[in-house]
mmCIF file of all heavy atoms in Angstrom:
data_model
loop_
_atom_site.group_PDB
_atom_site.id
_atom_site.type_symbol
_atom_site.label_atom_id
_atom_site.label_comp_id
_atom_site.label_asym_id
_atom_site.label_seq_id
_atom_site.Cartn_x
_atom_site.Cartn_y
_atom_site.Cartn_z
ATOM 1 N N SER A 1573 -90.258 -122.417 -24.251
ATOM 2 C CA SER A 1573 -88.985 -123.057 -24.568
ATOM 3 C C SER A 1573 -87.991 -122.037 -25.121
ATOM 4 O O SER A 1573 -88.307 -120.865 -25.291
ATOM 5 C CB SER A 1573 -89.208 -124.177 -25.598
ATOM 6 O OG SER A 1573 -89.625 -123.611 -26.829
ATOM 7 N N LYS A 1574 -86.794 -122.506 -25.447
ATOM 8 C CA LYS A 1574 -85.757 -121.613 -25.951
ATOM 9 C C LYS A 1574 -86.112 -121.019 -27.313
ATOM 10 O O LYS A 1574 -85.676 -119.922 -27.650
ATOM 11 C CB LYS A 1574 -84.431 -122.368 -26.053
ATOM 12 C CG LYS A 1574 -83.869 -122.794 -24.696
ATOM 13 C CD LYS A 1574 -82.561 -123.552 -24.860
ATOM 14 C CE LYS A 1574 -82.009 -123.977 -23.504
ATOM 15 N NZ LYS A 1574 -80.750 -124.750 -23.641
ATOM 16 N N ASP A 1575 -86.911 -121.772 -28.104
ATOM 17 C CA ASP A 1575 -87.288 -121.263 -29.431
ATOM 18 C C ASP A 1575 -88.634 -120.542 -29.403
ATOM 19 O O ASP A 1575 -89.297 -120.396 -30.428
ATOM 20 C CB ASP A 1575 -87.322 -122.396 -30.453
ATOM 21 C CG ASP A 1575 -88.316 -123.488 -30.071
ATOM 22 O OD1 ASP A 1575 -88.912 -123.399 -28.976
ATOM 23 O OD2 ASP A 1575 -88.502 -124.417 -30.873
ATOM 24 N N ASP A 1576 -89.057 -120.106 -28.202
ATOM 25 C CA ASP A 1576 -90.265 -119.298 -28.016
ATOM 26 C C ASP A 1576 -91.565 -120.055 -28.274
ATOM 27 O O ASP A 1576 -92.613 -119.446 -28.485
ATOM 28 C CB ASP A 1576 -90.243 -118.041 -28.907
ATOM 29 C CG ASP A 1576 -89.312 -116.973 -28.343
ATOM 30 O OD1 ASP A 1576 -89.023 -117.032 -27.136
ATOM 31 O OD2 ASP A 1576 -88.876 -116.104 -29.114
ATOM 32 N N THR A 1577 -91.517 -121.387 -28.275
ATOM 33 C CA THR A 1577 -92.754 -122.166 -28.346
ATOM 34 C C THR A 1577 -93.166 -122.575 -26.936
ATOM 35 O O THR A 1577 -92.343 -122.615 -26.013
ATOM 36 C CB THR A 1577 -92.570 -123.422 -29.209
ATOM 37 O OG1 THR A 1577 -91.527 -124.235 -28.633
ATOM 38 C CG2 THR A 1577 -92.193 -123.051 -30.629
ATOM 39 N N TRP A 1578 -94.452 -122.868 -26.771
ATOM 40 C CA TRP A 1578 -94.980 -123.213 -25.457
ATOM 41 C C TRP A 1578 -95.109 -124.728 -25.325
ATOM 42 O O TRP A 1578 -95.733 -125.379 -26.155
ATOM 43 C CB TRP A 1578 -96.326 -122.544 -25.235
ATOM 44 C CG TRP A 1578 -96.217 -121.068 -25.066
ATOM 45 C CD1 TRP A 1578 -96.326 -120.113 -26.025
ATOM 46 C CD2 TRP A 1578 -95.967 -120.369 -23.839
ATOM 47 N NE1 TRP A 1578 -96.149 -118.861 -25.492
ATOM 48 C CE2 TRP A 1578 -95.935 -118.985 -24.138
ATOM 49 C CE3 TRP A 1578 -95.764 -120.767 -22.514
ATOM 50 C CZ2 TRP A 1578 -95.715 -118.009 -23.171
ATOM 51 C CZ3 TRP A 1578 -95.542 -119.795 -21.552
ATOM 52 C CH2 TRP A 1578 -95.521 -118.436 -21.882
ATOM 53 N N LEU A 1579 -94.510 -125.265 -24.253
ATOM 54 C CA LEU A 1579 -94.516 -126.701 -23.999
ATOM 55 C C LEU A 1579 -95.178 -126.994 -22.663
ATOM 56 O O LEU A 1579 -95.154 -126.162 -21.747
ATOM 57 C CB LEU A 1579 -93.089 -127.257 -23.987
ATOM 58 C CG LEU A 1579 -92.241 -127.013 -25.240
ATOM 59 C CD1 LEU A 1579 -90.819 -127.527 -25.009
ATOM 60 C CD2 LEU A 1579 -92.868 -127.679 -26.452
ATOM 61 N N SER A 1580 -95.755 -128.174 -22.566
ATOM 62 C CA SER A 1580 -96.369 -128.581 -21.303
ATOM 63 C C SER A 1580 -95.302 -128.707 -20.220
ATOM 64 O O SER A 1580 -94.200 -129.216 -20.465
ATOM 65 C CB SER A 1580 -97.086 -129.918 -21.477
ATOM 66 O OG SER A 1580 -97.492 -130.437 -20.229
ATOM 67 N N SER A 1581 -95.614 -128.238 -19.027
ATOM 68 C CA SER A 1581 -94.687 -128.382 -17.897
ATOM 69 C C SER A 1581 -94.887 -129.710 -17.175
ATOM 70 O O SER A 1581 -94.252 -129.963 -16.146
ATOM 71 C CB SER A 1581 -94.870 -127.217 -16.916
ATOM 72 O OG SER A 1581 -96.222 -127.113 -16.519
ATOM 73 N N ASN A 1582 -95.803 -130.550 -17.683
ATOM 74 C CA ASN A 1582 -96.017 -131.918 -17.186
ATOM 75 C C ASN A 1582 -96.408 -131.976 -15.716
ATOM 76 O O ASN A 1582 -96.004 -132.892 -14.992
ATOM 77 C CB ASN A 1582 -94.760 -132.772 -17.424
ATOM 78 C CG ASN A 1582 -94.423 -132.905 -18.892
ATOM 79 O OD1 ASN A 1582 -95.301 -133.095 -19.725
ATOM 80 N ND2 ASN A 1582 -93.140 -132.783 -19.221
ATOM 81 N N VAL A 1583 -97.182 -130.991 -15.256
ATOM 82 C CA VAL A 1583 -97.620 -131.011 -13.863
ATOM 83 C C VAL A 1583 -99.129 -131.151 -13.735
ATOM 84 O O VAL A 1583 -99.631 -131.468 -12.650
ATOM 85 C CB VAL A 1583 -97.170 -129.724 -13.122
ATOM 86 C CG1 VAL A 1583 -95.658 -129.612 -13.123
ATOM 87 C CG2 VAL A 1583 -97.811 -128.480 -13.737
ATOM 88 N N TYR A 1584 -99.873 -130.955 -14.833
ATOM 89 C CA TYR A 1584 -101.333 -130.921 -14.723
ATOM 90 C C TYR A 1584 -101.901 -132.239 -14.200
ATOM 91 O O TYR A 1584 -102.655 -132.258 -13.213
ATOM 92 C CB TYR A 1584 -101.967 -130.589 -16.075
ATOM 93 C CG TYR A 1584 -103.476 -130.487 -15.995
ATOM 94 C CD1 TYR A 1584 -104.094 -129.292 -15.666
ATOM 95 C CD2 TYR A 1584 -104.297 -131.596 -16.224
ATOM 96 C CE1 TYR A 1584 -105.478 -129.194 -15.570
ATOM 97 C CE2 TYR A 1584 -105.675 -131.516 -16.137
ATOM 98 C CZ TYR A 1584 -106.257 -130.309 -15.801
ATOM 99 O OH TYR A 1584 -107.626 -130.217 -15.688
ATOM 100 N N TRP A 1585 -101.552 -133.328 -14.844
ATOM 101 C CA TRP A 1585 -102.175 -134.601 -14.475
ATOM 102 C C TRP A 1585 -101.684 -135.115 -13.126
ATOM 103 O O TRP A 1585 -102.424 -135.835 -12.434
ATOM 104 C CB TRP A 1585 -101.943 -135.633 -15.582
ATOM 105 C CG TRP A 1585 -102.567 -135.199 -16.876
ATOM 106 C CD1 TRP A 1585 -101.933 -134.729 -17.988
ATOM 107 C CD2 TRP A 1585 -103.973 -135.148 -17.176
ATOM 108 N NE1 TRP A 1585 -102.841 -134.394 -18.960
ATOM 109 C CE2 TRP A 1585 -104.108 -134.649 -18.494
ATOM 110 C CE3 TRP A 1585 -105.125 -135.477 -16.461
ATOM 111 C CZ2 TRP A 1585 -105.337 -134.475 -19.116
ATOM 112 C CZ3 TRP A 1585 -106.361 -135.307 -17.076
ATOM 113 C CH2 TRP A 1585 -106.471 -134.815 -18.387
ATOM 114 N N GLU A 1586 -100.478 -134.734 -12.737
ATOM 115 C CA GLU A 1586 -99.999 -135.097 -11.394
ATOM 116 C C GLU A 1586 -100.808 -134.372 -10.328
ATOM 117 O O GLU A 1586 -101.200 -134.964 -9.318
ATOM 118 C CB GLU A 1586 -98.508 -134.748 -11.261
ATOM 119 C CG GLU A 1586 -97.571 -135.685 -12.000
ATOM 120 C CD GLU A 1586 -97.671 -137.122 -11.497
ATOM 121 O OE1 GLU A 1586 -97.784 -137.303 -10.263
ATOM 122 O OE2 GLU A 1586 -97.657 -138.043 -12.324
ATOM 123 N N GLN A 1587 -101.057 -133.068 -10.541
ATOM 124 C CA GLN A 1587 -101.853 -132.308 -9.579
ATOM 125 C C GLN A 1587 -103.311 -132.791 -9.560
ATOM 126 O O GLN A 1587 -103.969 -132.725 -8.533
ATOM 127 C CB GLN A 1587 -101.799 -130.822 -9.916
ATOM 128 C CG GLN A 1587 -100.428 -130.201 -9.717
ATOM 129 C CD GLN A 1587 -100.438 -128.701 -9.938
ATOM 130 O OE1 GLN A 1587 -101.492 -128.081 -10.018
ATOM 131 N NE2 GLN A 1587 -99.246 -128.111 -10.051
ATOM 132 N N ARG A 1588 -103.786 -133.252 -10.687
ATOM 133 C CA ARG A 1588 -105.173 -133.723 -10.756
ATOM 134 C C ARG A 1588 -105.357 -135.044 -10.022
ATOM 135 O O ARG A 1588 -106.450 -135.371 -9.558
ATOM 136 C CB ARG A 1588 -105.559 -133.896 -12.229
ATOM 137 C CG ARG A 1588 -107.053 -134.179 -12.474
ATOM 138 C CD ARG A 1588 -107.274 -134.429 -13.956
ATOM 139 N NE ARG A 1588 -108.649 -134.542 -14.341
ATOM 140 C CZ ARG A 1588 -109.363 -135.663 -14.295
ATOM 141 N NH1 ARG A 1588 -108.804 -136.773 -13.833
ATOM 142 N NH2 ARG A 1588 -110.623 -135.680 -14.711
ATOM 143 N N LYS A 1589 -104.291 -135.831 -9.916
ATOM 144 C CA LYS A 1589 -104.392 -137.135 -9.268
ATOM 145 C C LYS A 1589 -104.783 -137.019 -7.799
ATOM 146 O O LYS A 1589 -105.603 -137.766 -7.290
ATOM 147 C CB LYS A 1589 -103.046 -137.863 -9.349
ATOM 148 C CG LYS A 1589 -102.825 -138.663 -10.616
ATOM 149 C CD LYS A 1589 -101.469 -139.364 -10.508
ATOM 150 C CE LYS A 1589 -101.107 -140.037 -11.817
ATOM 151 N NZ LYS A 1589 -99.759 -140.641 -11.734
ATOM 152 N N ASN A 1590 -104.178 -136.081 -7.085
ATOM 153 C CA ASN A 1590 -104.256 -136.065 -5.623
ATOM 154 C C ASN A 1590 -105.669 -135.903 -5.031
ATOM 155 O O ASN A 1590 -105.971 -136.643 -4.106
ATOM 156 C CB ASN A 1590 -103.285 -135.023 -5.075
ATOM 157 C CG ASN A 1590 -101.840 -135.444 -5.347
ATOM 158 O OD1 ASN A 1590 -101.570 -136.635 -5.469
ATOM 159 N ND2 ASN A 1590 -100.947 -134.498 -5.472
#
Side-chain angles (χ1 to χ4, degrees):
S1573 66
K1574 294 179 180 179
D1575 60 356
D1576 284 339
T1577 60
W1578 290 93
L1579 304 175
S1580 170
S1581 54
N1582 298 318
V1583 299
Y1584 182 88
W1585 298 106
E1586 286 299 320
Q1587 293 185 12
R1588 189 184 187 274
K1589 274 182 187 176
N1590 293 334

